[in-house]
Amino acid sequence: MKSSLTELDAVLVVARCGKFRAAAIELGVSTTALSNAVGKLERTLGVRLFNRTTRSVSLTEAGQQFVSQVAPALRDIHDAMDVVRSRQATPSGTLRINAFPTAAREIFSSLVLPFVREHPQVHIDVVTEGRMVDIVAGGFDFGIRSADRVPVDMIALPLGFARRNVVVASPAYLVSRGTPLIPQDLLKHACLRVRLPNGAIYRWPFGKDGQTVHVDVEGALTLDEASLARSAALASAGLTLAMESDVRDDIKAGRLVCVLEDWTPALSPLSLYYPSRRNPTAAFKAFIDFARRQAEADAGSRRSRG
């Protein structure tokens, strides 16, 4: 009885993720379907490949031996398939992108959506995570991070989008509580605190004339989701530190007001990064070319405005 490539891929991804649910999300299938695929292969082989508990999944001794022998062969098979795909006239298949949430929001409308419209046969799978991940080990084609956080062994393509943090509040809040003029004034205000992925509370960073200040703000709310902080600010619950791109429309409409603007300088630009590939697929090459054109167009637009 022969085993399918899908079943072999399923075993390797589960082994790498250590959880069926995480592996199912990566593969784009249900946990049940993934479990069935692994179970089918185990029945074919006549041995258990995984020890399963309610909390974790680990390879058995037989599973470890199987994965160590199958993984290199499976990589060769996928490399061979990539060689063929690289000759496609029309890009197709799936591209997986890992980005921190704010970066994903920044590039989604300007890069991902236009690319999908131009290449409708390519499926884009965007995964947002606050922590840094190894995109190769995680099975991603691309990562998007601040240029200063791109791993040194990756090829980086600067995207060039203007980026800045802003401190905003509703007009009603500022009328009732006053407007902070320097970062230290925030200690007298209700602020929406930010929890980082590692559980630490984010200290708001500011800079002016070579001076750097980090403020450990106080407030009744601690949040880890930008959309919640925006909603709270709109409801006059306090001041929030936000990516300018997330609240630009609110500022233009007068729903939110920027304060401390001279203390919030530009941030490091975003970069699209990826590992070197011998045989990139047509979809992979098309996305890089598209991102490069978009970055050049953005740079030209900024030069014309300047």
Side-chain angles (χ1 to χ4, degrees):
M1 187 174 181
K2 296 181 179 179
S3 299
S4 71
L5 190 61
T6 300
E7 293 164 6
L8 298 174
D9 278 328
V11 168
L12 295 190
V13 175
V14 172
R16 172 160 48 79
C17 292
K19 294 182 180 179
F20 272 85
R21 186 170 181 273
I25 291 173
E26 179 174 322
L27 291 170
V29 300
S30 69
T31 304
T32 300
L34 180 61
S35 180
N36 289 340
V38 172
K40 181 180 177 182
L41 181 59
E42 288 179 323
R43 289 191 296 274
T44 300
L45 296 173
V47 296
R48 282 190 305 110
L49 299 175
F50 293 99
N51 294 310
R52 300 169 175 83
T53 69
T54 55
R55 293 187 177 182
S56 66
V57 177
S58 61
L59 287 167
T60 62
E61 185 177 347
Q64 292 174 354
Q65 181 178 3
F66 181 78
V67 167
S68 66
Q69 291 184 284
V70 167
L74 205 54
R75 278 196 297 270
D76 289 341
I77 292 172
H78 284 297
D79 285 346
M81 295 171 70
D82 285 345
V83 170
V84 175
R85 290 194 190 102
S86 69
R87 299 177 181 175
Q88 291 175 328
T90 302
S92 63
T94 297
L95 294 175
R96 302 187 71 238
I97 302 173
N98 184 279
F100 57 75
T102 54
R105 291 193 296 273
E106 287 176 71
I107 59 92
F108 192 70
S109 296
S110 58
L111 181 58
V112 175
L113 292 182
F115 177 81
V116 171
R117 284 193 289 268
E118 187 171 303
H119 300 284
Q121 295 187 47
V122 178
H123 177 83
I124 301 291
D125 181 3
V126 179
V127 176
T128 60
E129 297 184 74
R131 63 186 181 89
M132 285 293 293
V133 301
D134 182 336
I135 62 170
V136 175
F140 294 98
D141 297 286
F142 300 101
I144 297 176
R145 290 289 188 274
S146 299
D148 56 357
R149 299 194 68 189
V150 174
V152 295
D153 59 340
M154 293 286 160
I155 300 170
L157 171 61
L159 297 180
F161 302 121
R163 307 176 67 234
R164 189 168 70 113
N165 278 322
V166 291
V167 179
V168 293
S170 71
Y173 175 87
L174 296 176
V175 168
S176 66
R177 297 290 299 270
T179 300
L181 301 178
I182 58 174
Q184 290 83 352
D185 288 345
L186 294 172
L187 297 175
K188 307 170 188 174
H189 284 264
C191 296
L192 302 165
R193 305 172 81 213
V194 177
R195 181 187 296 108
L196 298 172
N198 64 6
I201 301 301
Y202 187 57
R203 299 171 69 220
W204 292 11
F206 298 95
K208 181 180 179 181
D209 300 332
Q211 180 184 1
T212 300
V213 178
H214 288 80
V215 181
D216 190 4
V217 299
E218 296 292 338
L221 291 171
T222 299
L223 306 165
D224 64 358
E225 168 51 47
S227 63
L228 295 177
R230 172 182 170 271
S231 296
L234 288 169
S236 302
L239 291 145
T240 189
L241 181 72
M243 285 300 302
E244 186 176 28
S245 56
D246 284 341
V247 293
R248 185 174 288 120
D249 291 343
D250 296 313
I251 295 170
K252 287 182 179 179
R255 293 185 293 267
L256 294 174
V257 178
C258 275
V259 299
L260 300 172
E261 288 191 77
D262 55 339
W263 282 92
T264 51
L267 299 173
S268 177
L270 293 177
S271 284
L272 176 76
Y273 66 94
Y274 51 93
S276 176
R277 290 192 173 183
R278 287 178 299 170
N279 300 295
T281 65
F284 188 91
K285 290 187 291 186
F287 191 79
I288 293 172
D289 291 341
F290 189 88
R292 184 173 288 112
R293 292 200 307 271
Q294 292 292 92
E296 291 171 353
D298 182 66
S301 176
R302 289 201 310 277
R303 284 194 298 270
S304 64
R305 290 196 302 269

